[in-house]
Amino acid sequence: MDSLIDLLHDMRYDSSIIPALLAEIVNGHQADMATRNWINSRWKFMMRFEYFEPDTLDEAVTLLGQYAGKASLMAGGTDLLVEIKEHLHRPDYVINIKKICDLDALTYNNTDGLTIGSLTTVRAVETSPVVLEKYAGLAQAARHLGSIQVRNRA
């Protein structure tokens, strides 16, 4: 199978045929285990899923109910998309809640304390005056999570 590996190294075909070629090789058992491992380590294909972007919380809840057990929520995508690409998570449906208003609220009152909405970024927690005043340890922990770019996204 060295010639197959050489072929894959030197492949100059239209890239759109590569997934079909690799599937034929792997599924047709024409490649030995070492070759299949080599292919799998170099050619990662994201699994297909149906994508939804609801505008309201009611729409998101309806979609979750409709696709119960088969859907994953995405807010920033920093973890979910990596897990899908690495084939660690295989949802049939992805529901992006990023556009839903008011889920990014960060509020405080003396009765309930601090409330952090599901779309509140780590950067918003880190820089919030109320968090800095009343929950300095939380602000400090947030400051140490990834880069500013990650904190603005996650």
Side-chain angles (χ1 to χ4, degrees):
M1 284 296 159
D2 287 338
S3 61
L4 176 60
I5 291 176
D6 291 338
L7 173 67
L8 290 170
H9 272 298
D10 298 333
M11 189 174 288
R12 288 178 177 41
Y13 298 112
D14 176 4
S15 62
S16 67
I17 69 163
I18 293 173
L21 174 64
L22 294 177
E24 181 180 321
I25 292 167
V26 173
N27 293 333
H29 304 291
Q30 298 171 13
D32 62 15
M33 184 58 74
T35 303
R36 279 186 259 160
N37 288 339
W38 184 88
I39 291 168
N40 289 333
S41 70
R42 285 160 181 79
W43 299 90
K44 294 261 183 182
F45 300 103
M46 188 175 284
M47 303 302 292
R48 290 186 179 270
F49 54 83
E50 193 166 343
Y51 178 82
F52 297 99
E53 207 168 70
D55 293 317
T56 67
L57 189 55
D58 286 341
E59 287 177 46
V61 169
T62 299
L63 288 167
L64 277 174
Q66 183 176 351
Y67 301 114
K70 296 180 180 181
S72 291
L73 289 176
M74 181 172 74
T78 54
D79 292 327
L80 180 62
L81 292 179
V82 171
E83 290 173 358
I84 292 171
K85 183 179 177 187
E86 295 297 322
H87 297 222
L88 300 173
H89 192 71
R90 296 180 179 201
D92 294 325
Y93 307 94
V94 172
I95 303 167
N96 186 352
I97 60 171
K98 194 71 172 176
K99 288 187 174 180
I100 299 175
C101 295
D102 298 328
L103 293 182
D104 61 350
L106 192 149
T107 59
Y108 174 84
N109 67 51
N110 289 329
T111 306
D112 299 325
L114 184 66
T115 301
I116 302 173
S118 58
L119 292 181
T120 304
T121 64
V122 174
R123 182 74 172 154
V125 172
E126 172 190 0
T127 60
S128 164
V130 72
V131 173
L132 288 166
E133 178 188 336
K134 299 191 178 293
Y135 302 93
L138 177 60
Q140 182 179 5
R143 197 173 8 262
H144 292 285
L145 178 76
S147 64
I148 287 179
Q149 292 89 342
V150 169
R151 294 193 302 270
N152 276 322
R153 183 90 177 136

